Amino acid sequence: MAVKGLGKIDQTYDGKHIKVGILHARWNSKIINALVDGAIKKLKELNVSEENIIVESIPGAYELPFGTKKMFEKYNVDVVIPIGCLIKGSTMHFEYICDAVSTQIMQLQFQLNKPIIFGVLTCLTEEQALERAGLLPGMHNHGEDWGACAVEMVLKWK
Ligand code: RBF
């Protein structure tokens, strides 16, 4: 098969029959709100119905892996998009949380045999996060990519 544009969706997916969980952290709420809105917008564009999009929140990014596991158990969703925004501070917290969360999310996919999207921004500055949430002029909202990724990852491997 020909190589398509990197990062671009390879075909049209119809999300009519899939159920998606969005679990978001509440730290850095302005950025989080934009990312969640972007993910929902894209899910709806791909035909996922509003009642099949379940949104829950947890305090911070560190809670995302456990919360994601619970989203599958509680709501029987096909895929979860854990959304968080970590911004580097002056201590080592950032490194520990980024490492723990990314490792656990990756492992959880194999434990549960379910796709989990990596909706966590790990930024060195707030400006980087604002850019990636589409909140600075001309910048793209990564939440939209995560919505598209979620639909593809469910339907491609059915
Ligand atoms: N949670 C986030 O989602 N993003 C952050 O940037 C973030 N920075 C934190 C920095 C410090 C120093 C601490 C103590 C916590 C931070 N958290 C952050 C919260 C963390 O993910 C978690 O909710 C708490 O540590 C409780 O387990």
Side-chain angles (χ1 to χ4, degrees):
M1 195 200 290
V3 176
K4 306 262 173 64
L6 287 179
K8 299 277 188 313
I9 203 159
D10 62 344
Q11 63 176 76
T12 304
Y13 291 95
D14 182 356
K16 188 158 55 176
H17 298 298
I18 75 168
K19 198 170 172 187
V20 181
I22 294 178
L23 179 69
H24 69 84
R26 295 190 292 267
W27 274 64
N28 304 307
S29 59
K30 183 178 163 188
I31 289 150
I32 292 291
N33 288 345
L35 293 166
V36 170
D37 286 350
I40 292 173
K41 173 175 170 261
K42 181 60 77 177
L43 290 170
K44 287 182 175 170
E45 277 173 24
L46 294 172
N47 221 9
V48 181
S49 64
E50 196 153 328
E51 63 267 24
N52 280 340
I53 304 173
I54 291 111
V55 181
E56 287 268 18
S57 76
I58 36 82
Y62 190 75
E63 284 69 49
L64 286 172
F66 186 78
T68 296
K69 183 165 183 277
K70 293 293 168 187
M71 289 289 283
F72 282 108
E73 290 171 7
K74 186 169 177 188
Y75 298 112
N76 196 27
V77 286
D78 298 301
V79 56
V80 174
I81 312 174
I83 296 182
C85 173
L86 287 151
I87 300 177
K88 189 169 169 56
S90 52
T91 68
M92 291 294 288
H93 243 83
F94 174 81
E95 282 80 359
Y96 282 109
I97 297 178
C98 290
D99 189 41
V101 170
S102 56
T103 303
Q104 281 304 315
I105 287 176
M106 177 57 80
Q107 285 181 0
L108 196 54
Q109 296 187 89
F110 294 94
Q111 284 163 19
L112 302 178
N113 201 27
K114 298 278 185 190
I116 303 173
I117 311 310
F118 191 59
V120 183
L121 296 182
T122 57
C123 298
L124 302 178
T125 63
E126 189 184 6
E127 191 185 16
Q128 288 182 345
L130 289 166
E131 281 175 358
R132 284 151 186 79
L135 290 170
L136 292 186
M139 298 307 291
H140 169 74
N141 184 337
H142 285 231
E144 293 182 25
D145 301 341
W146 302 334
C149 183
V151 174
E152 177 175 347
M153 284 301 286
V154 174
L155 296 176
K156 181 160 271 173
W157 311 113
K158 263 213 180 307

